[in-house]
Amino acid sequence: MKKIICLIFISILFYSCKEDKIEFVQSKVMNNKFLLKDAPSKDSLIKNLIKDFLLKNLIKDFLLKNPSKYKNNRSTIFYKYTADTKYFIDHLPDPGGFSSYELEDVENQRLAVFDISKCETDTTKLIGEFYYYGINYNLLQIDTLIYKCN
């Protein structure tokens, strides 16, 4: 009997310590939209996760491999993964009719935007700015991740 109780206790302890894996889910129809699944509850952790993801994946791709891929769409937007936002993994925004469903409907689920634009003082140079809105959707901070305009 003691072995069974001990085994149950260990199983409960092991199960309760299991953390969900944080995942960036890219929209299949809008390649510049990402949903953050199983995000931590602290703004600072989410911000660092997104910045690390950008630096390891998108910025390296932009700078080294294929900058022309970003010619028309230089903004990358991150949302919380919720029942409302997961619709946009497989669907484009639906602006018309009785059942319209657009990204503006889930703006309060937006976590961050990474925007690549031309410098105002020298249009031959680019700047990559990171706008972090956070869990409560109020702009908390703007960081420059790539380049800087003089």
Side-chain angles (χ1 to χ4, degrees):
M1 183 69 174
K2 288 183 180 181
K3 289 181 181 180
I4 292 173
I5 292 173
C6 185
L7 185 61
I8 291 171
F9 179 73
I10 290 172
S11 298
I12 291 171
L13 184 65
F14 178 74
Y15 183 73
S16 66
C17 291
K18 182 182 172 193
E19 291 184 25
D20 292 326
K21 183 181 176 196
I22 299 165
E23 183 179 355
F24 287 89
V25 180
Q26 185 174 17
S27 172
K28 296 174 186 170
V29 294
M30 298 176 284
N31 66 350
N32 67 327
K33 308 287 189 275
F34 289 87
L35 308 179
L36 186 56
K37 189 174 187 178
D38 298 322
S41 59
K42 290 189 176 185
D43 269 321
S44 59
L45 294 174
I46 294 172
K47 180 183 174 192
N48 288 335
L49 281 169
I50 295 173
K51 284 174 80 171
D52 288 346
F53 176 81
L54 284 166
L55 292 169
K56 289 178 184 172
N57 298 294
L58 299 179
I59 294 175
K60 183 168 56 172
D61 185 41
F62 177 80
L63 293 174
L64 302 175
K65 296 179 184 172
N66 196 3
S68 62
K69 176 173 144 183
Y70 299 91
K71 185 176 182 181
N72 295 326
N73 198 352
R74 293 185 178 194
S75 291
T76 303
I77 305 170
F78 295 87
Y79 293 91
K80 297 175 200 172
Y81 186 99
T82 65
D84 293 329
T85 58
K86 72 178 182 179
Y87 170 86
F88 297 104
I89 293 173
D90 296 311
H91 301 90
L92 287 169
D94 179 13
F98 177 70
S99 64
S100 74
Y101 200 60
E102 300 218 37
L103 287 168
E104 289 80 24
D105 297 334
V106 294
E107 279 299 304
N108 62 340
Q109 302 295 313
R110 185 171 62 182
L111 293 169
V113 174
F114 176 67
D115 188 42
I116 298 172
S117 59
K118 292 183 178 182
C119 292
E120 290 180 14
T121 55
D122 183 357
T123 57
T124 63
K125 294 183 180 177
L126 298 174
I127 184 170
E129 293 179 310
F130 178 67
Y131 300 84
Y132 183 70
Y133 295 94
I135 297 170
N136 297 319
Y137 189 65
N138 32 334
L139 186 61
L140 300 176
Q141 197 168 11
I142 302 172
D143 294 328
T144 302
L145 297 185
I146 56 170
Y147 305 129
K148 292 192 182 206
C149 297
N150 296 333

